[in-house]
Amino acid sequence: MTISKKIRVAILISGRGSNMASLIAAATAADYPAEIVLVASNRPDAGGLAAAAAAGIPTRALDHKAYPSRAAFDGALHAELVAANIDLVCLAGFMRIFSAGFVEAWAGRMINIHPSLLPLFKGVHTHEQALAAGVRLHGCTVHYVVPELDAGPIVAQAAVPVLPGDDADALAARILVEEHRLYPAALALIASGHARLDGDRVVFSDTVRRADGALLSLRE
Ligand code: GAR
């Protein structure tokens, strides 16, 4: 039997942390290929910090307002991640833009979940953007983080219908259910080595294509 080492993951949050909770829950399974070893937030009052602590995960609150510059905050965060021997960073509702240096330092080792089917509807208010555009399908995307906002290689996507009478809150709630399934699945693909970066694309092994094809946007 081959016992492979679990990759060490930090989750960065700014708010309630429901995606963080879905990752923590998934990682409690003995055969999940990643372990969540740190949760950090730029907001000391982020609700997710208490939830992480209750789950026994070490937490750090680095108040970005306490740092003189973006680079100083990013440097402090980077030091925390390095000290915890982090292999992969998962952004989960982390609502702060990084300096180019931080993104460079974690290139190929940092993923994000975004509440739209990228490359549509980057930035904030994605559900309002989708309603204004009149799309019939909307959804969420897990992607690698690159310097350009919401633009990195796509790991996985899930779509939901936009229904008559939907407002932004109804759409957000329908998509959040999918986010909570998609992010743990995408992290598992990366952590197990079944999904990997190849230039500006994510490629998948055949095994994963057979097992999880329905979930994924396969683009080898
Ligand atoms: C999620 O919907 C996530 O996709 C979104 O913020 C929400 C966080 O919720 N992220 C972004 O908009 C990133 N640009 P959560 O704190 O309950 O996970």
Side-chain angles (χ1 to χ4, degrees):
M1 190 174 73
T2 313
I3 299 178
S4 44
K5 205 169 149 285
K6 294 187 181 218
I7 73 157
R8 294 172 62 81
V9 169
I11 304 175
L12 305 187
I13 62 170
S14 295
R16 69 189 161 185
S18 71
N19 276 289
M20 171 209 78
S22 75
L23 293 172
I24 291 173
T28 60
D31 61 350
Y32 196 77
E35 57 180 331
I36 313 303
V37 298
L38 179 68
V39 170
S41 178
N42 63 313
R43 293 190 176 277
D45 59 350
L49 285 174
I57 315 272
T59 62
R60 298 280 183 283
L62 288 81
D63 185 351
H64 64 267
K65 294 195 282 300
Y67 294 86
S69 66
R70 189 174 297 279
F73 170 80
D74 287 359
L77 181 58
H78 179 75
E80 291 282 358
L81 297 172
V82 169
N85 271 317
I86 298 303
D87 299 310
L88 186 78
V89 176
C90 289
L91 307 183
F94 187 74
M95 305 305 278
R96 192 167 166 79
I97 291 172
F98 291 119
S99 56
F102 186 92
V103 176
E104 275 298 296
W106 292 93
R109 298 188 296 152
M110 180 158 61
I111 59 176
N112 178 45
I113 189 158
H114 181 77
S116 78
L117 293 172
L118 292 172
L120 291 174
F121 314 136
K122 297 176 179 179
V124 294
H125 306 306
T126 56
H127 310 308
E128 286 87 346
Q129 291 186 55
L131 289 169
V135 294
R136 297 273 72 93
L137 287 172
H138 186 32
C140 51
T141 302
V142 175
H143 64 97
Y144 278 93
V145 176
V146 296
E148 188 186 338
L149 188 67
D150 301 330
I154 290 171
V155 182
Q157 294 185 301
V160 303
V162 179
L163 300 178
D166 267 350
D167 59 13
D169 287 347
L171 210 40
R174 193 175 306 121
I175 289 171
L176 198 62
V177 173
E178 296 304 320
E179 292 188 44
H180 295 164
R181 287 169 2 106
L182 188 71
Y183 212 175
L187 173 58
L189 289 175
I190 292 170
S192 63
H194 288 124
R196 62 179 172 80
L197 262 183
D198 182 9
D200 62 357
R201 288 283 185 278
V202 175
V203 295
F204 299 88
S205 68
D206 289 343
T207 318
V208 170
R209 184 176 300 168
R210 282 194 296 271
D212 294 317
L215 250 188
L216 300 171
S217 164
L218 293 170
R219 327 187 326 168
E220 269 189 71

